[in-house]
Amino acid sequence: MKYLRLLALLAVSSASAVPRAVVAQTPAPAVATNAPGLAGLWQGPLPIPGGSLPVAFTVQQPAADKLAATLDLPARRMSRLPVSVTLKGDSVIFFAAKASCRYACVRAASGQELRGTWAQPGLRVPLVLRRVVVQPSGTAAAVVAATTYHIEAVKLTSPAGNVELAGTLSIPDGPGPFPAAVLLSDMGPQDRDARQGTCRLFADIASNLARQGIAVLRLDDRGVGQSGGDNRLATTADLVRDAQAALSFLRVRPSIDPARTGFIGHGEGGNVALLAAAQPLPPSFVVGLAAAGVSGLELLAAQAEPATAADTARAGAARRQALADVAAKAKELRASGSNSAQIDTYVAQQTLKLRSAERKQAEATLKFRRAMFEIVRQTANREQAQAIVTNMLRQRYPAQEAALTRSRVEDLTTPWARYYLTFDPQAALAKVQCPVLLLNGTDDAEVNAATNLTALEKGLKANKRVMVRRLPGVQHWFQTPAAELLPNADGSVDPVVSAAMLDAVRDWVLQQSLQ
């Protein structure tokens, strides 16, 4: 049970955003002169029941009287967890609040080892860490230095309707000037953290990059949190102007390098970033996380049809019943004397028919959604479009509750939706000349990686500074595949932002800073 508890405690996101209290207190002030030469990389095996886990502390000295550290547990896909450093006489105490672990140690006389005790609930073991000399390679990753950062609450005004936008600016500690990025959210109302359940995509990106020397600005969408305006009334063109206002806000701050400011956009935010990059005063770089390469109409039509929990339950029950009928018939055939080959042939034929029926249903749904979206796109009068779409939904889904139908019709005919259905991302791509990184998960059910990345690459073919990466097993919200995470004691798995995505973005942004 102690081992299970340890694993549960270690299954913490490598990129979890640092809570404000931790940011303010990490690292704890320490008199660096009491521990000369402590800065550096310290590694060693952490003994656990049945084996060991590699552990590494990276210690930095950002000021003469200050030490900062981060913790890496690569076997558990945890990296750069913030660590406080406290000096007590000859002892050094590292504390990682996010992992509830503490390492109290002393330096050996040689100065090349730390010897002490690792403690956390359910485990208390001796641990020896040795200094590792890192050879410089000239790459962006080699020059990354973990650092502390602070946050500021900010407000700015977008010229699109003079809407006030509120957000958080994460700034590395130190004199700067630092490279910086504005985070741009996906479609729909999102808060500054891009919160989905317990996952906070933008908060994790911001804390990860800020600890690596990159300032990050993230904003509440219009009508969300502390921002004014109405997200449903804002078109993609309005969002481009919001993004440009945020970039201008960053570029005039003395701690930010205006020549190294760019966008990191998720979903529609990636397309907003590319649109802004095609206009005067473009960003220094663009990172597109699951940006669309096909038209807005095609992208929305290809997405799963909205369904209630009852609809999902009915569909699942129908499929299970169909499979049960096949199994029952196979049992009858076996009882009547049919041989194994005959039964296998029957089961294979029925399974093929079931899949064919599901494929036809998906094709019919795609055709219906395209037709419905075309009505919205081509019908100038909003009330007329609403009447036609309402009738179409009632005919196709006669059992659907009237309130749900009205809600869907309202969503489909907002100014944002009507604009997005006319949106073609290809139109502006040829004008994008800044460096572009495109990332997409292979398990993204909302923005198909193969279709959309191919289309984006085609549109950006004149730009010689484009990098494209497909991340295996990653879905639309860029979370680590559940199969790669250790479960909690109750069997549940906490969502963890993909370390592969975070590392790719960090390394690439820093690489642009070196050029």
Side-chain angles (χ1 to χ4, degrees):
M1 291 302 293
K2 289 184 177 180
Y3 180 51
L4 290 176
R5 189 175 186 184
L6 168 67
L7 296 184
L9 286 167
L10 291 183
V12 180
S13 168
S14 64
S16 295
V18 184
R20 293 192 179 193
V22 177
V23 172
Q25 299 173 3
T26 305
V31 180
T33 54
N34 289 350
L38 190 61
L41 177 61
W42 302 85
Q43 294 181 344
L46 171 67
I48 63 173
S52 64
L53 294 175
V55 171
F57 285 97
T58 301
V59 182
Q60 300 289 326
Q61 187 171 335
D65 61 346
K66 191 174 186 181
L67 291 173
T70 57
L71 168 65
D72 293 284
L73 289 160
R76 295 296 173 251
R77 296 182 177 272
M78 299 164 56
S79 61
R80 298 177 297 281
L81 294 182
V83 175
S84 65
V85 185
T86 304
L87 303 180
K88 291 186 176 181
D90 295 332
S91 299
V92 183
I93 300 173
F94 299 93
F95 178 65
K98 298 296 289 185
S100 299
C101 62
R102 180 176 180 269
Y103 179 49
C105 60
V106 294
R107 285 208 309 158
S110 66
Q112 301 306 304
E113 285 187 352
L114 298 178
R115 299 173 181 173
T117 301
W118 173 285
Q120 69 180 77
L123 187 75
R124 184 181 180 87
V125 293
L127 175 63
V128 176
L129 301 181
R130 293 176 175 82
R131 184 191 297 276
V132 177
V133 178
V134 180
Q135 297 297 330
S137 65
T139 65
V143 300
V144 172
T147 183
T148 57
Y149 70 96
H150 60 280
I151 59 176
E152 296 180 15
V154 301
K155 289 186 177 180
L156 58 96
T157 300
S158 171
N162 291 321
V163 173
E164 186 175 70
L165 303 175
T168 300
L169 176 60
S170 302
I171 309 177
D173 291 334
F178 302 104
V182 179
L183 301 184
L184 304 176
S185 67
D186 197 2
M187 61 182 65
Q190 309 287 340
D191 67 11
R192 68 189 68 182
D193 290 343
R195 191 186 309 267
Q196 291 289 316
T198 60
C199 186
R200 302 191 302 164
L201 176 62
F202 279 8
D204 286 357
I205 292 175
S207 66
N208 182 277
L209 296 185
R211 289 202 299 270
Q212 306 303 322
I214 304 168
V216 179
L217 173 61
R218 63 192 197 274
L219 299 166
D220 291 330
D221 284 351
R222 292 176 175 228
V224 178
Q226 300 176 33
S227 290
D230 188 334
N231 181 266
R232 298 172 302 170
L233 302 181
T235 67
T236 305
D238 294 327
L239 301 182
V240 171
R241 299 182 71 186
D242 291 352
Q244 291 172 317
L247 194 67
S248 297
F249 173 86
L250 279 183
R251 282 176 164 167
V252 299
R253 292 184 62 95
S255 59
I256 303 299
D257 185 346
R260 297 186 293 163
T261 55
F263 293 125
I264 301 174
H266 176 227
E268 185 191 13
N271 292 111
V272 169
L274 290 168
L275 288 173
Q279 298 186 24
L281 300 177
S284 303
F285 60 83
V286 166
V287 177
L289 305 176
V294 300
S295 70
L297 188 150
E298 282 299 316
L299 182 75
L300 294 180
Q303 292 178 357
E305 183 76 5
T308 64
D311 292 335
T312 302
R314 280 194 295 270
R319 193 175 197 282
R320 288 192 296 272
Q321 184 59 53
L323 293 173
D325 291 343
V326 172
K329 181 63 176 178
K331 186 177 181 180
E332 290 180 10
L333 291 173
R334 186 175 294 106
S336 64
S338 298
N339 59 39
S340 296
Q342 292 171 324
I343 295 172
D344 289 346
T345 298
Y346 168 78
V347 171
Q349 290 175 339
Q350 297 305 309
T351 303
L352 186 62
K353 286 182 180 180
L354 181 59
R355 291 175 179 172
S356 177
E358 291 174 343
R359 184 173 61 254
K360 289 180 180 179
Q361 177 62 34
E363 291 171 351
T365 298
L366 178 60
K367 182 178 180 180
F368 170 77
R369 288 171 65 81
R370 282 175 176 160
M372 182 171 60
F373 292 153
E374 279 290 353
I375 291 296
V376 176
R377 189 173 71 88
Q378 296 182 16
T379 307
N381 184 286
R382 183 167 183 253
E383 292 183 357
Q384 185 179 358
Q386 288 180 329
I388 298 173
V389 171
T390 298
N391 186 54
M392 293 177 71
L393 288 171
R394 286 175 177 170
Q395 289 185 23
R396 183 167 179 83
Y397 306 106
Q400 189 175 83
E401 294 182 2
L404 179 57
T405 299
R406 287 195 298 271
S407 176
R408 290 187 62 186
V409 171
E410 190 68 28
D411 289 342
L412 288 172
T413 56
T414 62
W416 174 84
R418 289 167 67 80
Y419 184 96
Y420 194 74
L421 289 173
T422 68
F423 171 62
D424 181 3
Q426 294 293 320
L429 292 180
K431 300 177 183 178
V432 177
Q433 298 302 313
C434 70
V436 177
L437 172 65
L438 300 173
L439 299 178
N440 215 144
T442 58
D443 285 4
D444 193 329
E446 297 182 39
V447 180
N448 180 271
T451 301
N452 287 277
L453 282 181
T454 299
L456 287 171
E457 286 183 272
K458 181 179 179 181
L460 291 166
K461 63 182 180 182
N463 187 339
K464 303 305 180 184
R465 296 182 292 174
V466 176
M467 178 179 290
V468 178
R469 283 190 59 185
R470 294 162 174 80
L471 304 181
V474 174
Q475 36 79 298
H476 186 67
W477 287 93
F478 287 86
Q479 295 171 7
T480 301
E484 298 181 10
L485 299 173
L486 292 174
N488 297 319
D490 61 359
S492 65
V493 177
D494 296 325
V496 175
V497 173
S498 168
M501 179 274 287
L502 292 171
D503 289 346
V505 172
R506 177 206 64 198
D507 292 348
W508 189 83
V509 171
L510 289 174
Q511 185 67 44
Q512 309 317 305
S513 299
L514 295 175
Q515 296 177 356

